[in-house]
Every structure is written in structure tokens, then in C-alpha cells.
Amino acid sequence: MKKPVYYVILALLVGVFLFAAYKVGSYYLEKYRSDKVQFDELLKTNGDVIAWIYGANTHINYPVVQGSDNDYYLRHLLDGTWNDNGSIFMDYANSADFSDQNSLIYGHNMKSGAMFSNLVKYKQQAYYDQHPYLYMLTPQQNYKLHLFAGVIVDASGYILDGNGEVAYSDCSVYQFQLTQEFLQQMVNHSTFRPTTGVPSADSHIVTLSTCTYEFKNVRYVVLGVLEPIFRNTINRTAVFINGGSVFFPLANGEKCGILSAVTFV
């Protein structure tokens, strides 16, 4: 009788060990993969680059730029080429270091699946459950972006109800300072139920915005809270690699191409 019990206990211990090793290995693999490409090379291509946004298995994997207005990057790529894809860009009036309470980032909803087109998949609870966070990587600091709301808003940023009518007009998501009540309203009207709850008004929030087509001239916004994950050293930067390559839109069609100027470590 003793031997069967011994083998059962041994099997349980081995299982616990393997599970713990898997979790630890996954953490370090995730951290290692997020710190492999240099921003200084990207800045040689375009000095407006301020960050890189990435989500595993979401097709969101792009540099983030900031121009002198909110028009130029609607139709220009990283290399300055005119293209319908445009670029993923931060509001020109935001602080580039994400120090504002609400940092606004815009991207087109392309039929090709490029740019922020997959953002609208957060209208499905199952998609959020599979992808509850993104990464925002900058030359100074890397962040995990914990998503807490996905909401349909009008062009002015006011929350809409299921009939396309304004449901809450005391605050717009396109303001740089959001109230606690507004954050609660965003969660109340979210297309998914977050696991993180309602953030406090002193959190650093990023609002990702793209077009959606339930009603005329409306947007779908996904909001997340920035959590610093580790700090980069000077001149050491972190752009996410997907399969050993860094991708960004090219002028020859709605595709993503390898940024050959980037060096891999």
C-alpha cells in the first residue's frame, strides 16, 4: 500500500513543480521578448516616434507617433509616405511621456485588418477574456496596459446607449482629465466586463480610439490603465518583436513590412 501512495505524492509534486516552472518561464519569456529592439534606430527613421503598442495575437503591433497636429498621421506612414492606413498616433496636445491622466491614441479601422481594426473585437467578452491587456513600450519606461472598458461614443467622445443616443454628457472620453464618475460610467456601458474593476481618477489612463459603424460618425474606444513593468536603461529601448521581426505599414499596399533599420539583440 505504501508504494502507490508514494507514487501519487511524487506525481503531484512533479506536477506542481512543472506548473511553477511553466509560469516562471512564461513570465521571463514575455519580459525578455519585450525588450529586444532599439528605439534610437526607429528615431532615425522618424523623430516623432514616442512609443510602441503591442498585443499578443491581436495584430496590434505598431510604433506610436506624435505630430504637431492630429491631421498629418491620419494619412501618412512612419516614413512620411502618404497612405490611407495612416499611422497610430497620440493626440498632439498630450504629453508624449504618458504623464497626463488620459492619453489619447488614434488609429484607423482598416478593412484589411491593419492598424486598429482589431480593436473593435473587444466588443466581444470572449476576446477581452483572451486579451485583457496590451503593452505600451517607450524609450524610458515599459507598461502593461490593463484594459477596463470598451465603449461606443460619438465623435465628441460622449457615451452612447444602444439606440445611438447620448447616455452621459457630463464628460467626454477625449478630455485629458476624466472624473471618477465618468470612469464608472465607462465601465457601466462597456461592451465587456473587466476583471480589473473601476480605476481611480488618479490613474494614468490610455484611450485607444478607432471608427465603428453601428451609427453614423461614431467611435469605439478601449481604455486601459498603465502599469510600469520595468525601466529601460539610457539608450536601451523596447519595441516588441513578432516572430523575430518588427513590422510597420509600407506604402506598397495595406501590409506590414520589416523595419530593416532595427537591430536585434
Side-chain angles (χ1 to χ4, degrees):
M1 291 293 293
K2 291 184 177 180
K3 281 191 175 181
V5 173
Y6 168 79
Y7 286 123
V8 169
I9 294 174
L10 181 62
L12 288 173
L13 290 174
V14 170
V16 170
F17 173 78
L18 291 175
F19 177 75
Y22 165 77
K23 297 296 286 185
V24 172
S26 297
Y27 169 79
Y28 281 106
L29 177 61
E30 187 174 72
K31 182 173 178 178
Y32 172 80
R33 288 184 62 205
S34 68
D35 193 23
K36 293 287 96 182
V37 184
Q38 296 181 355
F39 267 114
D40 54 0
E41 297 296 333
L42 281 170
L43 290 168
K44 291 176 184 177
T45 302
N46 187 326
D48 288 342
V49 173
I50 60 167
W52 193 284
I53 186 169
Y54 171 82
N57 302 313
T58 65
H59 298 292
I60 296 174
N61 190 17
Y62 295 103
V64 180
V65 292
Q66 184 180 41
S68 58
D69 55 47
N70 287 339
D71 296 324
Y72 180 80
Y73 283 112
L74 283 171
R75 291 291 182 265
H76 287 86
L77 304 181
L78 194 68
D79 62 2
T81 305
W82 191 96
N83 189 277
D84 281 339
N85 273 345
S87 297
I88 305 300
F89 65 96
M90 178 185 278
D91 194 289
Y92 80 99
N94 267 129
S95 298
D97 61 358
F98 294 89
S99 59
D100 292 327
Q101 191 243 22
N102 185 28
S103 298
L104 308 174
I105 295 181
Y106 312 103
H108 287 306
N109 180 356
M110 304 300 293
K111 292 181 180 179
S112 65
M115 313 315 290
F116 271 176
S117 61
N118 280 2
L119 205 62
V120 298
K121 291 184 178 181
Y122 280 101
K123 294 174 186 177
Q124 305 167 24
Q125 182 68 41
Y127 193 79
Y128 167 80
D129 292 340
Q130 294 171 358
H131 312 286
Y133 58 84
L134 303 172
Y135 287 99
M136 190 68 68
L137 311 171
T138 79
Q140 298 80 28
Q141 177 72 60
N142 293 332
Y143 301 92
K144 211 170 191 177
L145 185 62
H146 296 276
L147 307 178
F148 67 88
V151 180
I152 297 172
V153 301
D154 66 13
S156 297
Y158 294 114
I159 298 171
L160 298 180
D161 63 20
N163 298 315
E165 301 295 327
V166 173
Y168 185 81
S169 60
D170 288 351
C171 188
S172 162
V173 75
Y174 296 133
Q175 296 175 197
F176 299 142
Q177 186 71 34
L178 306 178
T179 65
Q180 187 67 57
E181 172 61 23
F182 182 74
L183 295 176
Q184 179 66 65
Q185 290 293 329
M186 291 296 284
V187 172
N188 292 349
H189 289 85
S190 177
T191 57
F192 58 80
R193 295 297 97 193
T195 58
T196 56
V198 182
S200 64
D202 60 357
S203 302
H204 288 287
I205 294 165
V206 173
T207 295
L208 309 175
S209 177
T210 195
C211 291
T212 189
Y213 303 103
E214 287 83 355
F215 311 106
K216 185 178 180 180
N217 197 24
V218 295
R219 309 289 186 267
Y220 184 64
V221 294
V222 175
L223 284 73
V225 173
L226 290 171
E227 176 199 5
I229 50 178
F230 58 94
R231 185 172 294 278
N232 297 320
T233 55
I234 298 173
N235 294 326
R236 182 165 179 247
T237 58
V239 172
F240 221 97
I241 304 170
N242 186 5
S245 300
V246 175
F247 294 89
F248 74 104
L250 292 178
N252 59 348
E254 295 179 344
K255 296 182 178 180
C256 289
I258 296 173
L259 180 60
S260 58
V262 174
T263 56
F264 295 89
V265 181

